[in-house]
């Protein structure tokens, strides 16, 4: 009897540890939409083969209130296009009193100049309880010494924000993968 209870307890502990490890891996997953994709405006910018793609590491990838995360930010100054990925948990629908599947709005805000750049989803994916979107904003202008913020419109004027680029952060040139380079230079 005692050995059976010990075995059952051990199995339960292993199952709980496995679930905890699996959940931790899901939270850290940033592989979905992590690379830029070819769009019409990027292809036009790369026609001469001289354009550059810039990136910046988002220092706090989760919004202060925890409603969403953003990662994989890429910016092409020549075309004015910015691409980035966003992710939120299904529980956000409950917290914001929205129906599951509601499409939240996102926009970039240059806090230095006050300009806003609406973002549209060009790809969507759902993985268990996470919703992923590849977002694109056009007409973006941001200089090295300017602060760029991503805003998620929740409901009734409530928003959630993440600083994409601090004013003191410098852009870094992103080396395009060969596959993307070929697509852009068609």
């Amino acid at each position: 009897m005692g050995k059976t209870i010990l075995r059952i307890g051990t199995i339960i502990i292993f199952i709980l540890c496995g679930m905890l490890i699996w959940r931790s891996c899901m939270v850290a997953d940033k592989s979905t939409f992590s690379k830029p994709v070819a769009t019409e405006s990027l292809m036009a910018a790369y026609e001469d083969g001289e354009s550059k793609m810039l990136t910046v590491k988002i220092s706090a990838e989760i919004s202060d209130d925890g409603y969403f995360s953003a990662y994989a930010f890429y910016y092409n100054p020549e075309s004015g296009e910015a691409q980035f990925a966003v992710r939120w948990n299904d529980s956000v629908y409950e917290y914001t009193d929205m129906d599951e599947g509601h499409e939240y709005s996102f926009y970039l805000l240059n806090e230095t100049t006050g300009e806003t750049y609406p973002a549209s989803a060009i790809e969507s994916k759902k993985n268990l309880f996470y919703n992923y979107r590849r977002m694109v904003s056009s007409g973006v202008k941001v200089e090295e010494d300017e602060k760029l913020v991503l805003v998620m419109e929740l409901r009734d004027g409530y928003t959630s924000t993440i600083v994409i680029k601090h004013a003191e952060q410098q852009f870094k040139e992103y080396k395009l993968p060969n596959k993307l380079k070929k697509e852009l230079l068609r």
Side-chain angles (χ1 to χ4, degrees):
M1 175 82 167
K3 286 186 176 189
T4 304
I5 292 175
L6 183 61
R7 285 184 183 146
I8 291 172
T10 303
I11 291 170
I12 290 172
I13 289 173
F14 276 117
I15 289 171
L16 291 175
C17 287
M19 289 171 59
L20 181 64
I21 290 169
W22 175 79
R23 178 74 169 119
S24 297
C25 291
M26 283 294 299
V27 167
D29 176 37
K30 293 187 183 61
S31 61
T32 304
F33 304 141
S34 63
K35 303 243 185 302
V37 294
T39 61
E40 292 296 321
S41 63
L42 280 182
M43 287 195 279
Y46 276 88
E47 275 181 339
D48 62 3
E50 297 297 318
S51 196
K52 291 182 181 179
M53 183 72 76
L54 303 175
T55 188
V56 66
K57 174 146 177 44
I58 301 171
S59 57
E61 293 177 339
I62 299 175
S63 63
D64 290 339
D65 52 20
Y67 283 128
F68 77 109
S69 65
Y71 58 95
F73 179 81
Y74 303 98
Y75 172 56
N76 178 258
E78 190 174 327
S79 67
E81 181 175 284
Q83 293 186 19
F84 51 93
V86 295
R87 178 181 81 166
W88 68 89
N89 190 302
D90 282 343
S91 62
V92 173
Y93 296 118
E94 180 182 328
Y95 300 142
T96 59
D97 296 325
M98 300 304 274
D99 294 331
E100 190 163 327
H102 171 77
E103 282 299 321
Y104 293 105
S105 298
F106 293 87
Y107 63 90
L108 290 172
L109 167 66
N110 183 327
E111 279 201 347
T112 310
T113 65
E115 291 180 79
T116 60
Y117 310 99
S120 57
I122 59 171
E123 287 184 74
S124 301
K125 183 177 178 183
K126 183 159 175 75
N127 188 1
L128 300 174
F129 38 81
Y130 284 113
N131 299 278
Y132 295 85
R133 300 291 183 273
R134 180 188 311 275
M135 308 298 291
V136 172
S137 289
S138 300
V140 177
K141 285 187 170 194
V142 61
E143 300 296 327
E144 290 288 350
D145 60 345
E146 295 178 341
K147 182 178 179 180
L148 191 64
V149 175
L150 176 60
V151 180
M152 178 185 192
E153 293 181 333
L154 299 169
R155 64 170 175 81
D156 302 332
Y158 291 102
T159 60
S160 181
T161 61
I162 294 176
V163 175
I164 297 290
K165 180 194 170 299
H166 293 277
E168 57 276 0
Q169 271 182 302
Q170 298 296 303
F171 281 113
K172 293 183 176 148
E173 188 171 346
Y174 175 73
K175 186 176 183 318
L176 295 174
N178 287 333
K179 181 181 176 185
L180 178 57
K181 200 180 291 185
K182 287 176 185 173
E183 288 178 40
L184 291 173
L185 298 174
R186 280 188 204 182

